[in-house]
Amino acid sequence: MEQEIHIAGIVVYAQAAELDSLRSCIEEVPGAEIHAIESGKLVVTLETESTKRALDIMDAIRALPGVLDVVLVYQHAEPVSALDQEVSP
């Protein structure tokens, strides 16, 4: 079976006082990238090798102090080899 890449877009709802701490924690997660922080929300993408891994990371983030909820807003999976293919408009 060919290796896959899983991309998940999530929104982390958090207490405003904890945003800096959460940013530090999430930035330490391999494959996690924070794209925006505003009004108690962090917009994050996760790149993982499986759906299970993405869900495990979401659960770990949900368990951090100050996190109110973690919501999956986008999920995509494809073979890693597809990343090398040219995309035509």
Side-chain angles (χ1 to χ4, degrees), residues 16-39:
E18 299 295 332
L19 289 175
D20 288 337
S21 174
L22 291 171
R23 169 190 263 170
S24 296
C25 290
I26 293 170
E27 286 176 341
E28 295 295 318
V29 176
E33 185 175 343
I34 299 171
H35 298 277
I37 300 175
E38 188 174 324
S39 303

Side-chain angles (χ1 to χ4, degrees), residues 6-87:
H6 292 254
I7 301 168
I10 63 173
V11 176
V12 179
Y13 292 90
Q15 296 171 346
E18 299 295 332
L19 289 175
D20 288 337
S21 174
L22 291 171
R23 169 190 263 170
S24 296
C25 290
I26 293 170
E27 286 176 341
E28 295 295 318
V29 176
E33 185 175 343
I34 299 171
H35 298 277
I37 300 175
E38 188 174 324
S39 303
K41 293 180 269 191
L42 296 93
V43 177
V44 180
T45 54
L46 305 174
E47 289 188 20
T48 64
E49 66 280 356
S50 69
T51 299
K52 181 182 179 336
R53 178 72 179 134
L55 292 172
D56 289 346
I57 292 170
M58 289 173 60
D59 286 342
I61 292 171
R62 190 176 284 114
L64 293 171
V67 173
L68 304 172
D69 200 5
V70 177
V71 179
L72 177 68
V73 293
Y74 176 81
Q75 195 276 333
H76 175 78
E78 63 183 60
V80 171
S81 63
L83 297 175
D84 295 329
Q85 296 175 2
E86 250 184 75
V87 177

